[in-house]
Amino acid sequence: MPKTCLAAVMPAPNAPVELREFPEPELEPGAALLDTMYSEVCGTDVHLQHGKLSGVPYPIIPGHVSVGTVAKTRGPLKTVDGDSIKEGDVVTFLDVHETCNHCYHCLVARQPNRCPSRRVYGITYSVNDGLLGGWSQAIYMKPGVKMIHIPAALAPETFIGGGCGIVTALHAVDLARLRLGESVAVLGVGPVGQSTVALASLSGAGEIVAVDGVADRLAYARRMGATQTVSLDTPRKERLSQVHGMTRGRGVDVVIECSGHPDAVSEALDLVRDGGRVVVCGHYTDNGAVEIHPHYQINRKHVELRGCWGSRYEHFHRAVEIGARFGGEKPWREMVGGKYRLEDSAVALGAVEERSVVKALIAMGTFSGVSF
Ligand SMILES: [Zn+2]
Ligand SMILES: [Zn+2]
């Protein structure tokens, strides 16, 4: 009997997620197969469901950050640390794959996150390309996919609680070139914003101001290291004067926009001090346009405005190390608001969409069907 595996498939934008059965893949040299433990459900998956990211080859198996046990390998595989990857090991992998190291973006601009060959598990692979998303009982590791062991000190739930959010946040905090004692405002404290607060705090920031419309999220941000919170219930003008009041009228040194609301980009430019830095990482998908006044908000303020697209291996690798070292101090694990069975993927997606949980997990262990 040929073995099969079940995966949750997003057939097309705005079509309901459905379970499909797939044959067990043949491993090409250098490939591996993971028995999935957990895969996350994040805001990007909600946007994918609504078709808000261009170039997505539906139908897809969503799930870009996952943890699994190595079920099979073909050929010797090693991590960047030189450790062998063996059957039974608990690993995670960088969802970004196939950056070419041959093009202008990779070699001259040195920004492989903009390489045109770049592919992302759970986002830019079709089901016709194979089991290349985490909402599946098994995930195919193509040759060259960067796997890393989940260290003994890091519970898989803690890592995946940070998940794609901590990796993106690390990239954003790097781009902000945060210095010890500087003030930071984080606009939007969903998964990326919460990790941004935590990493700003671990980086030795001074005042850390979390801004969001959900009271629970603001309370949680305090546990992640926010020193001040500002509610979106407060009118924008008042929010501005509150933040100015925290910084002797200057505005914060750094604003990291993680909300995905176009207006937040304009607000970020208002909240930052003259000569400060603004990093935009909440607009991974198209959430529309906003009017900016270049004279007052950028040029005259001498502001540095940077976009942050995806991540590179270095962010992923360091995120695992940070999770292992600080997972006890920062409550990433509790970010997971619900664990769902594979067949309840649509329910998990709904919970993230209506913001009743910060993050949801598809947990394979709870599935009773066939598995490799
Ligand atoms: Zn390239
Ligand atoms: Zn994500």
Side-chain angles (χ1 to χ4, degrees), residues 15-365:
V17 173
E18 60 190 38
L19 275 192
R20 290 192 194 171
E21 200 170 338
F22 294 88
E24 178 179 351
E26 289 270 318
L27 294 191
E28 61 200 297
L33 196 67
L34 298 191
D35 211 339
T36 315
M37 275 167 110
Y38 298 117
S39 188
E40 70 171 1
V41 182
C42 83
T44 296
D45 300 309
V46 174
H47 296 311
L48 290 172
Q49 165 81 349
H50 294 305
K52 283 187 160 184
L53 187 66
S54 60
V56 175
Y58 300 94
I60 60 166
I61 301 170
H64 43 279
V65 174
S66 311
V67 174
T69 308
V70 178
K72 283 179 185 174
T73 60
R74 183 164 173 202
L77 298 176
K78 285 188 189 301
T79 66
V80 298
D81 290 321
D83 298 331
S84 291
I85 297 169
K86 304 175 301 295
E87 287 174 21
D89 288 356
V90 178
V91 298
T92 182
F93 61 96
L94 179 65
D95 54 350
V96 176
H97 181 50
E98 292 183 8
T99 47
C100 73
N101 204 30
H102 289 294
C103 73
Y104 184 90
H105 297 279
C106 284
L107 290 180
V108 182
R110 291 198 292 171
Q111 298 201 321
N113 51 330
R114 292 302 302 145
C115 171
S117 304
R118 177 183 186 273
R119 294 287 175 273
V120 187
Y121 271 69
I123 300 177
T124 65
Y125 282 118
S126 156
V127 293
N128 305 317
D129 299 318
L131 295 170
L132 304 176
W135 299 7
S136 168
Q137 289 177 314
I139 315 172
Y140 187 79
M141 297 287 99
K142 289 165 78 79
V145 166
K146 293 281 179 291
M147 284 182 269
I148 184 170
H149 292 103
I150 296 285
L154 176 58
E157 294 86 351
T158 301
F159 171 72
I160 208 128
C164 64
I166 186 173
V167 179
T168 304
L170 183 50
H171 191 185
V173 171
D174 274 4
L175 284 173
R177 300 192 315 280
L178 189 58
R179 295 185 304 171
L180 292 165
E182 283 192 319
S183 54
V184 185
V186 180
L187 308 190
V189 282
V192 176
Q194 296 290 357
S195 281
T196 301
V197 167
L199 296 180
S201 150
L202 292 173
S203 304
E207 208 77 87
I208 301 174
V209 189
V211 184
D212 200 286
V214 181
D216 287 357
R217 291 190 173 194
L218 290 175
Y220 193 80
R222 289 226 180 237
R223 297 180 55 209
M224 282 295 205
T227 57
Q228 305 273 358
T229 56
V230 174
S231 167
L232 289 179
D233 293 339
T234 310
R236 178 165 164 177
K237 255 194 170 165
E238 236 170 277
R239 297 201 290 270
L240 181 63
S241 59
Q242 276 186 18
V243 172
H244 276 179
M246 297 164 195
T247 54
R248 295 178 181 268
R250 287 188 294 257
V252 286
D253 298 303
V254 167
V255 183
I256 303 182
E257 185 284 320
C258 309
S259 76
H261 288 286
D263 287 344
V265 176
S266 173
E267 183 161 352
L269 291 165
D270 290 341
L271 293 176
V272 75
R273 68 160 161 83
D274 286 10
R277 285 98 68 202
V278 172
V279 177
V280 174
C281 67
H283 291 259
Y284 185 75
T285 54
D286 181 0
N287 292 317
V290 65
E291 196 168 285
I292 302 282
H293 199 304
H295 172 67
Y296 288 111
Q297 290 185 287
I298 300 176
N299 201 325
R300 185 184 163 122
K301 281 190 90 163
H302 193 63
V303 160
E304 194 178 316
L305 175 59
R306 309 192 77 172
C308 172
W309 181 252
S311 53
R312 298 187 300 270
Y313 178 77
E314 58 171 301
H315 306 114
F316 167 73
H317 189 100
R318 288 159 56 212
V320 173
E321 306 241 330
I322 290 167
R325 188 169 296 268
F326 298 106
E329 188 177 325
K330 302 293 181 189
W332 275 294
R333 186 174 185 145
E334 293 167 48
M335 201 125 75
V336 178
K339 286 186 186 175
Y340 297 82
R341 299 180 305 170
L342 183 62
E343 59 265 52
D344 294 330
S345 300
V347 183
L349 201 55
V352 172
E353 176 158 26
E354 67 197 25
R355 306 180 98 196
S356 62
V357 298
V358 176
K359 180 169 287 187
L361 278 195
I362 307 293
M364 298 303 152

